[in-house]
Amino acid sequence: MGRSPCCEKAHTNKGAWTKDEDQRLIDYIRAHGEGCWRSLPKAAGLLRCGKSCRLRWINYLRPDLKRGNFTDEEDELIIKLHSLLGNKWSLIAGRLPGRTDNEIKNYWNTHIKRKLISRGIDPQTHRPLKETAAMASATSTIAAPTELDFRNAPKSNFIKTPSSLEFKHNEFQLKSNADSLEEPNCTASSGMTTDEEQQQQQLHKKKQYDNPSDGEELNLELSIGISSTDSSRVSSANSAESKPKLGNNNFQFLEQAMVAKAVCLCWQLGFQTSEICSNCQNPNGFYRFCRPLDS
DNA sequence: AACGTTTACAACCGCCCCAAT
DNA sequence: TATTGGGGCGGTTGTAAACGT
């Protein structure tokens, strides 16, 4: 017993969208807003599947999309984010204002993969190709979860309950991934160190986490967790009256919490000299991800 | 000019998550 | 508690454009 289809496929158009279809969709969403994709096609007079409408809007028609070539800064940002998040294109897109997950995914597959390979870097592991090949030919007996296991795990595996302890834990894990980006030959994931050495490394990472100014650590503010200074903000955001309407998904909640405090990532990475860069300002003048800190 | 190959990207498919019932 | 349906996501496919021979 399968699920009923999301729409009546026998009476829907497929393939490229026409200008008329685009205009109908734009007009309808301007008048009624996004949402209820299942009923939208009929209401808008479109012979399309609701999902198709959603995709067309999100990936192509949305007014705040930034069209055109990716900049070198965006390239590097995507590479860094991918090394931390893996193929979580929607999360990566969330950090690139005006870009969609589909766009970034396509760009990754057509450009960045080749770019990394030409640099001698494995696009999946972000490690030197030689090292990856050596690891592949080595044993498959590693029992401990790898960075990739973590990155590719379903979202639901990351956080089950919104306790602050778990937020911290997950933040620490992502910080560790950031470390591995900076230290591609780190031994922690090779499984070659003693327990004591690993403990020391963990302590070192924890120390860096507690006091980021201690080093040149990459801090993308990407972590699933929230820094201690934000915890009060988060707890109020999680209160009944301010809870996101989109559901209790912890990721959504955390994303919103992060956005609430967001400072331009380009600036954080040193790509821009001011806290709000032109990349992060959409055509409507709103800062989707670069709002100045609340005072 | 004709043809084959490669590239780029829009669109689709199927699965998963989660709120509502 | 189980079921259902809507929305979201990542992987894959289809195809037009660009390029090479």
Side-chain angles (χ1 to χ4, degrees):
Chain A
M1 169 175 103
R3 293 182 47 171
S4 61
C6 69
C7 51
E8 185 54 63
K9 298 205 175 193
H11 301 103
T12 55
N13 292 340
K14 290 176 85 171
W17 280 65
T18 65
K19 286 188 177 178
D20 179 58
E21 287 178 311
D22 282 348
Q23 199 53 53
R24 279 174 187 266
L25 183 55
I26 291 168
D27 289 345
Y28 183 85
I29 291 177
R30 273 189 187 150
H32 301 94
E34 293 180 40
C36 202
W37 297 105
R38 191 185 175 92
S39 60
L40 183 149
K42 195 176 178 182
L46 287 163
L47 294 175
R48 289 279 180 175
C49 167
K51 281 189 173 188
S52 182
C53 295
R54 176 181 162 270
L55 261 293
R56 183 64 178 171
W57 173 255
I58 288 174
N59 290 326
Y60 203 81
L61 299 175
R62 242 170 50 196
D64 59 339
L65 290 180
K66 182 203 288 181
R67 311 300 300 182
N69 295 337
F70 283 76
T71 64
D72 289 344
E73 286 79 10
E74 285 177 312
D75 278 15
E76 294 306 316
L77 182 54
I78 291 169
I79 291 167
K80 284 194 168 89
L81 291 169
H82 186 272
S83 74
L84 292 167
L85 299 167
N87 295 353
K88 303 291 179 192
W89 304 115
S90 61
L91 287 176
I92 294 172
R95 288 287 169 177
L96 281 135
R99 302 293 189 185
T100 69
D101 52 357
N102 206 36
E103 193 179 12
I104 292 169
K105 178 174 60 184
N106 284 330
Y107 188 66
W108 176 269
N109 287 325
T110 56
H111 291 84
I112 298 183
K113 262 187 180 176
R114 241 179 299 155
K115 189 174 177 177
L116 288 178
I117 289 169
S118 73
R119 289 181 188 173
I121 295 170
D122 186 312
Q124 279 309 307
T125 62
H126 293 266
R127 292 171 178 279
L129 280 167
K130 286 180 192 170
E131 189 181 326
T132 305
M135 286 178 73
S137 63
T139 175
S140 60
T141 57
I142 298 168
T146 64
E147 284 177 37
L148 223 58
D149 292 332
F150 170 71
R151 278 194 240 130
N152 293 333
K155 283 185 281 193
S156 56
N157 288 0
F158 292 176
I159 303 167
K160 281 297 182 189
T161 57
S163 74
S164 57
L165 268 177
E166 287 183 38
F167 290 152
K168 280 283 189 188
H169 174 65
N170 284 288
E171 179 170 17
F172 181 53
Q173 280 192 295
L174 274 175
K175 283 285 185 186
S176 299
N177 285 329
D179 290 345
S180 71
L181 179 72
E182 297 296 300
E183 303 167 9
N185 294 321
C186 77
T187 52
S189 55
S190 71
M192 299 297 288
T193 55
T194 65
D195 289 346
E196 197 176 333
E197 282 167 340
Q198 288 186 3
Q199 278 176 7
Q200 288 205 342
Q201 284 176 359
Q202 294 234 334
L203 264 174
H204 174 64
K205 287 176 180 175
K206 181 73 168 65
K207 198 177 166 187
Q208 282 190 321
Y209 160 69
D210 287 336
N211 190 359
S213 63
D214 278 356
E216 291 296 314
E217 178 187 24
L218 175 67
N219 180 4
L220 293 176
E221 284 293 338
L222 247 185
S223 48
I224 305 308
I226 291 104
S227 70
S228 57
T229 53
D230 290 334
S231 57
S232 59
R233 225 186 282 254
V234 168
S235 61
S236 70
N238 200 23
S239 65
E241 55 274 25
S242 59
K243 209 163 192 172
K245 288 181 181 173
L246 285 173
N248 287 332
N249 182 314
N250 285 321
F251 255 69
Q252 290 173 341
F253 156 60
L254 284 163
E255 286 260 297
Q256 294 196 4
M258 287 189 284
V259 167
K261 190 250 175 184
V263 173
C264 172
L265 190 61
C266 306
W267 171 74
Q268 288 190 344
L269 289 171
F271 296 146
Q272 298 288 329
T273 53
S274 67
E275 284 197 18
I276 300 167
C277 69
S278 56
N279 286 341
C280 302
Q281 184 179 22
N282 75 15
N284 299 324
F286 295 109
Y287 298 96
R288 289 184 62 217
F289 299 98
C290 295
R291 277 197 317 215
L293 289 168
D294 297 336
S295 55

